[in-house]
Amino acid sequence: MTEQLAVDDANAAPPKPIGRFDRYFKLTERGSSLGREFRGGFATFFAMVYIVVLNPLILSAPDGSGHTLGIPQVAAMTAIVSGVMTILMGLIARYPFALSAGLGVSGFVSATIATTKGLTWGDVMGLVLISGVIMFILVLLGLREAVFRAVPSGLKIAIVAGIGLFIATIGFVNAGFVRRVPDAAHTSVPVSLGQGGFLLGWPTLVFVVGMIAMIILIVRKVKGGILIGIIGTTIFAMIVQAFTNTPAGSAKDPSGWSLTVPTFPSTWISLPDLSLFGQVNLIGAFTHIGAIAATLLTFTILLTVFFDAMGTMTGLASQGGLLDKQNNFVDANPVLLVDAAASAVGGLSSISSGEIFVESAAGIGEGARTGIASLVTGGLFIVISFFAPLAGIVPFEAVAPALVIVGFMMVTHVKDIDWSDYGIAIPAFFTVALMPLTYSIANGLGAGFIAYVVIRAVQGRAKEVHPLMWCVGAAFVVFFGVGVIEQLLH
């Protein structure tokens, strides 16, 4: 996509400065335009608006006291927090990154509620808030940016490619094009094409048609191709639904829509319920499960958010051509500060940790390069908080083709890795492979970082390893061994 934009720029007149607004957001400096920023902001919004529907479902489990957060309340807070923090990213950091509730942390805290007796949602969200405050302090101390710069260039490239493969995997799986093989099938194959090796269901057809259409738009270098593809596929999905009346997918019938059914809702407007804000207990987890167990939970959340954000922002900045010649992030501190604040605010609002979303790549793929795109995306999230039912119109199957296309663009960076140097090549491979296979950016980073430290030591090149990489490697050893540590403590 960077190459495509370069061709576009060569054929178009250079953008003219438009005063203080232009200088503040670096619009001309980054070779963008208001048109690209608005298209990018809309594309990012459409690519991630599903979070307003999905996050409440993930956090719907009852806690130890039988209390639930409430789906309407979580949906409202997810939209509001996403909007406010994304706008702050645009105003303060001036990068085209959107933020919302991190699904990895949401899944982790939901599983914690389901498996740890006695904890309430307020207790767990208190731990999320604590981890966010700690991360904010680490940013102020300069540690997060120092770790970022300590990572060797080859691994940074692998992070970009790994996230690309991860994004593409999310797209294929969300569309039902690739599915998990049920345990009852008694096969060693974990995933397969569609259902039993066959593509079945109208939603899968919508994905395939959308995929073909978007490929054509991108190959033909149509401006706004990704955004046009998402909107066009959504309209096609609504037409298909009007004639087929396909239900949402279920365990008995997985051929339905993966999450949202693309139909107009009966109610369009609803005032957002913000009652969850501030409903946290900072010491509840330490009281109910003990200081050691609560500290381990906090450490897991902190490390996940810390490195998810680092990996995501690296991949997005690289895709947008916003890294320097050493593959370092330019002016990373404001981005990290807003991201850390989003983590804390997410806990305070009971939506789990807020973090930079990989779906921002859809907007960058449309040409977004500045914080103006974030203002657009954030503003749309604020609007949707009053029209939450409309969030269900865009099905995963309409967004998935964009994720696959953007994933392809990011994976192409693997050509820049030195595959002849095993000290970089093997860690890079672990990073690229394990992000999609474990559905976690942090897991891929951890495996790659540990492998890099170990291999360089074996090669007799330990002096080349930055001291912070040794610390990070050790932290990930603890991260991967939390389960064993908890067993030993019990």
Side-chain angles (χ1 to χ4, degrees), residues 26-374:
K26 302 181 180 180
L27 194 64
T28 301
E29 180 181 329
R30 294 180 182 172
S32 187
S33 66
L34 285 176
R36 284 180 178 174
E37 297 302 314
F38 273 84
R39 289 199 305 270
F42 271 89
T44 295
F45 172 75
F46 281 119
M48 61 184 287
V49 69
Y50 70 86
I51 191 65
V52 178
V53 178
L54 183 57
N55 197 48
L57 297 179
I58 294 176
L59 300 178
S60 62
D63 61 19
S65 63
H67 173 70
T68 60
L69 292 172
I71 288 179
Q73 291 83 356
V74 176
M77 289 308 307
T78 299
I80 291 292
V81 171
S82 301
V84 171
M85 298 314 301
T86 300
I87 289 172
L88 289 178
M89 178 66 76
L91 288 175
I92 297 174
R94 292 172 285 179
Y95 275 93
F97 303 157
L99 302 94
S100 191
L103 293 182
V105 177
S106 292
F108 175 75
V109 298
S110 183
T112 300
I113 281 290
T115 60
T116 307
K117 295 181 180 180
L119 285 182
T120 67
W121 276 112
D123 297 338
V124 174
M125 291 302 173
L127 297 181
V128 176
L129 174 57
I130 291 172
S131 69
V133 172
I134 293 173
M135 191 160 61
F136 194 84
I137 294 172
L138 293 177
V139 174
L140 292 177
L141 295 175
L143 183 61
R144 284 189 81 185
E145 187 168 4
V147 170
F148 177 82
R149 293 184 177 278
V151 179
S153 179
L155 272 183
K156 290 176 181 174
I157 296 172
I159 292 170
V160 177
I163 291 176
L165 198 57
F166 181 36
I167 291 174
T169 301
I170 292 173
F172 283 122
V173 172
N174 286 351
F177 195 87
V178 174
R179 294 181 187 271
R180 175 179 177 271
V181 176
D183 295 333
H186 301 295
T187 176
S188 59
V189 179
V191 294
S192 70
L193 177 71
Q195 301 174 56
F198 298 95
L199 296 177
L200 302 175
W202 291 106
T204 302
L205 174 65
V206 168
F207 165 75
V208 173
V209 171
M211 187 81 263
I212 294 172
M214 200 168 293
I215 289 174
I216 293 172
L217 291 169
I218 296 302
V219 171
R220 297 294 299 175
K221 297 182 174 61
V222 175
K223 288 186 177 181
I226 292 177
L227 179 58
I228 293 171
I230 294 174
I231 296 174
T233 307
T234 299
I235 295 172
F236 177 60
M238 296 179 71
I239 294 173
V240 168
Q241 179 61 18
F243 283 97
T244 64
N245 196 29
T246 302
S250 63
K252 291 183 178 180
D253 182 16
S255 63
W257 301 100
S258 59
L259 177 63
T260 58
V261 179
T263 57
F264 283 111
S266 57
T267 302
W268 288 42
I269 301 176
S270 60
L271 293 176
D273 184 343
L274 309 182
S275 60
L276 288 178
F277 187 79
Q279 300 298 313
V280 296
N281 188 337
L282 294 176
I283 62 173
F286 294 89
T287 301
H288 289 136
I289 61 176
I292 296 178
T295 300
L296 286 175
L297 286 176
T298 304
F299 176 78
T300 302
I301 295 170
L302 176 63
L303 211 62
T304 299
V305 176
F306 188 108
F307 286 102
D308 266 2
M310 190 188 82
T312 302
M313 60 185 277
T314 302
L316 295 176
S318 177
Q319 181 66 15
L322 301 173
L323 298 178
D324 62 20
K325 294 181 179 179
Q326 288 73 43
N327 286 319
N328 286 321
F329 204 100
V330 180
D331 199 16
N333 212 48
V335 177
L336 295 171
L337 281 172
V338 176
D339 178 75
S343 181
V345 172
L348 189 62
S349 306
S350 294
I351 66 166
S352 90
S353 176
E355 56 185 64
I356 298 171
F357 253 51
V358 292
E359 282 84 353
S360 302
I364 293 174
E366 277 295 346
R369 295 294 181 271
T370 77
I372 299 172
S374 294

Side-chain angles (χ1 to χ4, degrees), residues 314-481:
T314 302
L316 295 176
S318 177
Q319 181 66 15
L322 301 173
L323 298 178
D324 62 20
K325 294 181 179 179
Q326 288 73 43
N327 286 319
N328 286 321
F329 204 100
V330 180
D331 199 16
N333 212 48
V335 177
L336 295 171
L337 281 172
V338 176
D339 178 75
S343 181
V345 172
L348 189 62
S349 306
S350 294
I351 66 166
S352 90
S353 176
E355 56 185 64
I356 298 171
F357 253 51
V358 292
E359 282 84 353
S360 302
I364 293 174
E366 277 295 346
R369 295 294 181 271
T370 77
I372 299 172
S374 294
L375 299 184
V376 175
T377 302
L380 290 171
F381 267 112
I382 298 296
V383 171
I384 206 66
S385 69
F386 292 90
F387 297 87
L390 289 178
I393 290 180
V394 182
F396 267 141
E397 290 80 2
V399 174
L403 300 183
V404 174
I405 288 293
V406 172
F408 152 73
M409 295 172 180
M410 297 177 75
V411 169
T412 59
H413 289 276
V414 295
K415 69 180 185 300
D416 298 321
I417 297 173
D418 183 2
W419 295 103
S420 65
D421 180 0
Y422 282 4
I424 287 293
I426 293 177
F429 171 74
F430 283 174
T431 299
V432 172
L434 289 177
M435 282 187 188
L437 289 177
T438 65
Y439 251 62
S440 169
I441 294 173
N443 287 345
L445 287 174
F449 288 176
I450 292 173
Y452 171 73
V453 170
V454 171
I455 294 174
R456 280 294 189 240
V458 171
Q459 290 176 324
R461 300 167 62 180
K463 292 183 179 179
E464 297 179 17
V465 180
H466 195 285
L468 281 176
M469 288 298 292
W470 288 100
C471 297
V472 170
F476 269 113
V477 169
V478 175
F479 175 76
F480 288 129

